[in-house]
C-alpha cells in the first residue's frame, strides 16, 4: 500500500470515531448528565483494548502521513478545494497531536475522568476560552472541510440537482451549523454548565 492508501484507510477509521464523538457532544444540548450517560455507553466500544489500539494507531498514521502529504503537495498548483484539503489536514494533524496528548495526561497522570467536564472546562473559563473556542471550532470546521474537499474530488455525479461543488458546499455549511449548535451545548453562557472543582484546578483539562 502506498502512503495515500494508508492515509485514506486511517482516515476512514478516524472519521467513524469522530462522527460518533460529535454525536456524543451533540447530546450536550440535553444536559451534561445525558452527555456523560451516552459517553459511558460508547466507551464500552471504543475504550476496549482492541478498538482503542486501532484508533490510536490510526491517529498516529494520519498525523505522520498527513504531514508527509502536506510537504509533498504544498508547492503544487492547487484548486481552492485542494488548498482546503491541504491546510485542514495540517490543522487536524496538529489538533490530534495535542488532543491525544491531553487525554492521556488527564487520564493517566492527573487521574481525571476525561469526560464532558474535562472537555468543556477550557471553553467555559476566561481567559482560556479565548484560545479553546477557536481551537475546537477550527478542528470541527477542518474535519468537515477535509471531507468536503475529498467529496468534491471523488464525486462525479449530481445529486438532487446539486453538482459535486455544491454538494461540497452543503457539507461545509452543515459543519458550520453543527459547530454553532455544539458550542451552544458546551458553553455555560448559554446552557448553565457548572464545572466541578477538580476540573477547574487542573491546568491540563481543556485540550
Amino acid at each position: 500500500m502506498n502512503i495515500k492508501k494508508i492515509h485514506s484507510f486511517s482516515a476512514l477509521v478516524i472519521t467513524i470515531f469522530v462522527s460518533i464523538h460529535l454525536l456524543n457532544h451533540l447530546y450536550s444540548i440535553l444536559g451534561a448528565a445525558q452527555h456523560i450517560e451516552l459517553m459511558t455507553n460508547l466507551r464500552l466500544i471504543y475504550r476496549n483494548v482492541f478498538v482503542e489500539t486501532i484508533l490510536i494507531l490510526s491517529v498516529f498514521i494520519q498525523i505522520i502521513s498527513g504531514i508527509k502529504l502536506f510537504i509533498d503537495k504544498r508547492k503544487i498548483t492547487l484548486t481552492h478545494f485542494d488548498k482546503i484539503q491541504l491546510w485542514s489536514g495540517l490543522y487536524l494533524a496538529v489538533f490530534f497531536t495535542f488532543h491525544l496528548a491531553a487525554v492521556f495526561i488527564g487520564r493517566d497522570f492527573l487521574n481525571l475522568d476525561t469526560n464532558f467536564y474535562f472537555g468543556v472546562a477550557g471553553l467555559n473559563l476566561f481567559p482560556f476560552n479565548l484560545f479553546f473556542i477557536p481551537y475546537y471550532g477550527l478542528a470541527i470546521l477542518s474535519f468537515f472541510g477535509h471531507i468536503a474537499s475529498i467529496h468534491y474530488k471523488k464525486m462525479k455525479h449530481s445529486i438532487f440537482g446539486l453538482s459535486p461543488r455544491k454538494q461540497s458546499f452543503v457539507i461545509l455549511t452543515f459543519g458550520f451549523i453543527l459547530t454553532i449548535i455544539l458550542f451552544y451545548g458546551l458553553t455555560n453562557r448559554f446552557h448553565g454548565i457548572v464545572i466541578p472543582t477538580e476540573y477547574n484546578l487542573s491546568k491540563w483539562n481543556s485540550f
Side-chain angles (χ1 to χ4, degrees):
M1 296 178 70
N2 60 35
I3 189 170
K4 287 185 178 180
K5 290 183 179 179
I6 295 173
H7 186 77
S8 297
F9 179 77
S10 63
L12 178 60
V13 174
I14 293 171
T15 298
I16 293 172
F17 172 76
V18 171
S19 299
I20 294 172
H21 198 56
L22 291 177
L23 174 63
N24 192 173
H25 285 330
L26 195 59
Y27 258 64
S28 63
I29 296 174
L30 302 177
Q34 287 80 359
H35 181 285
I36 293 173
E37 181 182 2
L38 179 59
M39 176 176 282
T40 300
N41 293 328
L42 291 174
R43 280 178 174 178
L44 297 175
I45 301 173
Y46 65 75
R47 277 213 173 172
N48 71 74
V49 175
F50 178 71
V51 175
E52 188 172 56
T53 300
I54 293 176
L55 182 59
I56 292 171
L57 286 174
S58 296
V59 171
F60 280 130
I61 291 171
Q62 190 73 187
I63 292 170
I64 295 170
S65 61
I67 292 174
K68 176 66 167 58
L69 290 170
F70 176 85
I71 293 172
D72 291 343
K73 290 185 175 183
R74 64 191 177 91
K75 294 183 179 180
I76 301 174
T77 302
L78 302 171
T79 66
H80 291 306
F81 275 107
D82 286 332
K83 291 178 181 179
I84 292 174
Q85 182 181 359
L86 194 68
W87 289 100
S88 63
L90 180 64
Y91 185 81
L92 287 172
V94 173
F95 177 82
F96 285 145
T97 300
F98 284 98
H99 193 64
L100 195 63
V103 169
F104 281 114
I105 289 171
R107 189 174 74 179
D108 299 326
F109 291 95
L110 300 179
N111 296 316
L112 289 171
D113 182 359
T114 54
N115 60 16
F116 172 82
Y117 295 110
F118 181 88
V120 305
L123 293 174
N124 292 281
L125 295 173
F126 181 83
F128 303 106
N129 54 4
L130 297 179
F131 170 78
F132 286 108
I133 288 176
Y135 171 75
Y136 280 121
L138 283 174
I140 301 171
L141 292 175
S142 293
F143 174 71
F144 282 98
H146 211 65
I147 292 176
S149 302
I150 295 171
H151 181 86
Y152 175 72
K153 293 173 67 174
K154 300 292 186 181
M155 181 59 66
K156 305 299 181 182
H157 306 288
S158 296
I159 298 177
F160 300 120
L162 297 176
S163 66
R165 182 180 181 84
K166 290 182 179 179
Q167 294 169 35
S168 295
F169 277 114
V170 169
I171 294 172
L172 285 172
T173 302
F174 175 79
F176 180 77
I177 294 172
L178 180 62
T179 301
I180 294 174
I181 295 173
L182 289 174
F183 277 119
Y184 169 81
L186 297 172
T187 52
N188 65 6
R189 182 174 181 179
F190 303 105
H191 209 47
I193 296 170
V194 178
I195 307 297
T197 303
E198 60 269 29
Y199 294 96
N200 280 326
L201 295 178
S202 174
K203 296 180 180 180
W204 300 93
N205 63 355
S206 305
F207 285 85

